[in-house]
Amino acid sequence: VPGFEASLDTLFCGHWLAYATTSLFWIGMAALGPKAIGLPRERTATEPGLRVESTPGSPAATAEQLAGTLDRLPDNHHDTMAISRLRAIAAFVRGRKSTEGLDGHLSYLAEFAGEQLHNSYGLVRTITWAVPILGFLGTVVGITTAIQNLDPAKLDTSFGQVSMGLGVAFGTTALALGLSLVLVFGTYLIEKLERSVLADVEWLALKTATDLFPPEPTTGNPFIEAQGESARRLLEQSDALIERQMAMW
């Protein structure tokens, strides 16, 4: 920046702690960068425009058709969250050859994706926590240096060293707090957008499972049906007995 070269040089290059703080900041930005760049592609993949027809009575055939349709999508969509989720659905149905347990599997995939998304920000959160710590460490180091160089008998000669130590103390703190603010708000914005995409992925997975893999009719359990019939008859007999007792009373 023209006119601010000296100030920026002092702020970013005045001490080894400033180098460490700036390096951590750029590591955090490097972790956020691919996420921000990939968001438009992830958003586009939530509307793949699939043309798959459900095969009556054969969920496995429908799953094969879905997998083949996903393979024909553009290459830049293959590793997105949406297409990966649909592949997992197709693989589950193909493996089971039925839709039994698909609802539970969808819930598991949703929880697992949310946990993965949270864990993917672990490095950025650690850096966001560490950057202000480095700033406070710079404050302690700078003030300690200033106090050590303070000589009441030689104020004229020690004043420069004292002011240099105070400059390190306040400069590193200001740098760390400023960079941590950028990381905090950048992380919040990107994570919010990514969670919005993940919500669209969950909706797409649920819609695809509902449209292509309707629940299969289940046969009743004779034992459970017998228990239900016995309970119904017992309730009817109890009601009749109560009515007779009320009439007699």
Side-chain angles (χ1 to χ4, degrees), residues 42 45-46 80-83 85-86 113 195-207:
E42 293 283 356
T46 58
T80 58
M81 291 188 291
I83 305 306
R85 181 66 58 86
L86 296 182
R195 288 196 178 277
S196 175
V197 172
L198 186 58
D200 292 340
V201 171
E202 305 301 345
W203 180 87
L204 175 65
L206 183 60
K207 182 177 183 300

Side-chain angles (χ1 to χ4, degrees), residues 40-52 66 69-74 76-78 80-87 89 197 200-208 211-212:
R41 183 169 60 94
E42 293 283 356
R43 177 74 67 182
T44 303
T46 58
E47 301 176 357
L50 300 176
R51 296 181 179 179
V52 181
L66 175 60
T69 302
L70 295 175
D71 290 338
R72 290 189 294 270
L73 290 175
N76 61 341
H77 284 180
H78 286 180
T80 58
M81 291 188 291
I83 305 306
S84 298
R85 181 66 58 86
L86 296 182
R87 288 184 186 278
I89 294 174
V197 172
D200 292 340
V201 171
E202 305 301 345
W203 180 87
L204 175 65
L206 183 60
K207 182 177 183 300
T208 302
D211 293 344
L212 299 182

Side-chain angles (χ1 to χ4, degrees), residues 157-230:
T157 57
S158 64
F159 182 76
Q161 295 178 338
V162 172
S163 62
M164 184 180 300
L166 293 177
V168 170
F170 295 114
T172 53
T173 303
L175 176 65
L177 294 179
L179 296 182
S180 65
L181 281 177
V182 176
L183 282 174
V184 167
F185 285 105
T187 302
Y188 167 77
L189 178 61
I190 295 175
E191 186 174 8
K192 181 179 179 181
L193 293 174
E194 199 165 10
R195 288 196 178 277
S196 175
V197 172
L198 186 58
D200 292 340
V201 171
E202 305 301 345
W203 180 87
L204 175 65
L206 183 60
K207 182 177 183 300
T208 302
T210 303
D211 293 344
L212 299 182
F213 306 106
E216 298 177 355
T218 57
T219 58
N221 190 320
F223 179 71
I224 295 178
E225 291 180 355
Q227 282 187 325
E229 181 65 20
S230 298

Side-chain angles (χ1 to χ4, degrees), residues 9-194:
D9 184 71
T10 302
L11 184 64
F12 288 95
C13 307
H15 197 268
W16 66 267
L17 283 171
Y19 284 107
T21 303
T22 306
S23 299
L24 276 182
F25 168 77
W26 285 115
I27 292 174
M29 294 300 292
L32 290 176
K35 290 179 171 291
I37 294 173
L39 278 173
R41 183 169 60 94
E42 293 283 356
R43 177 74 67 182
T44 303
T46 58
E47 301 176 357
L50 300 176
R51 296 181 179 179
V52 181
E53 297 294 335
S54 178
T55 303
S58 181
T62 304
E64 289 287 351
Q65 186 181 356
L66 175 60
T69 302
L70 295 175
D71 290 338
R72 290 189 294 270
L73 290 175
D75 293 340
N76 61 341
H77 284 180
H78 286 180
D79 60 343
T80 58
M81 291 188 291
I83 305 306
S84 298
R85 181 66 58 86
L86 296 182
R87 288 184 186 278
I89 294 174
F92 179 83
V93 176
R94 281 192 299 180
R96 288 288 186 92
K97 300 187 185 306
S98 70
T99 60
E100 183 181 358
L102 182 58
D103 291 341
H105 189 61
L106 288 175
S107 300
Y108 164 76
L109 291 176
E111 294 176 2
F112 183 70
E115 185 177 353
Q116 275 191 320
L117 178 62
H118 176 78
N119 293 338
S120 66
Y121 287 88
L123 175 62
V124 179
R125 291 191 179 94
T126 302
I127 291 175
T128 305
W129 169 84
V131 166
I133 297 298
L134 282 177
F136 295 142
L137 180 60
T139 302
V140 174
V141 171
I143 292 177
T144 302
T145 302
I147 293 175
Q148 288 177 344
N149 292 324
L150 180 62
D151 187 356
K154 300 178 181 179
L155 289 178
D156 294 339
T157 57
S158 64
F159 182 76
Q161 295 178 338
V162 172
S163 62
M164 184 180 300
L166 293 177
V168 170
F170 295 114
T172 53
T173 303
L175 176 65
L177 294 179
L179 296 182
S180 65
L181 281 177
V182 176
L183 282 174
V184 167
F185 285 105
T187 302
Y188 167 77
L189 178 61
I190 295 175
E191 186 174 8
K192 181 179 179 181
L193 293 174
E194 199 165 10

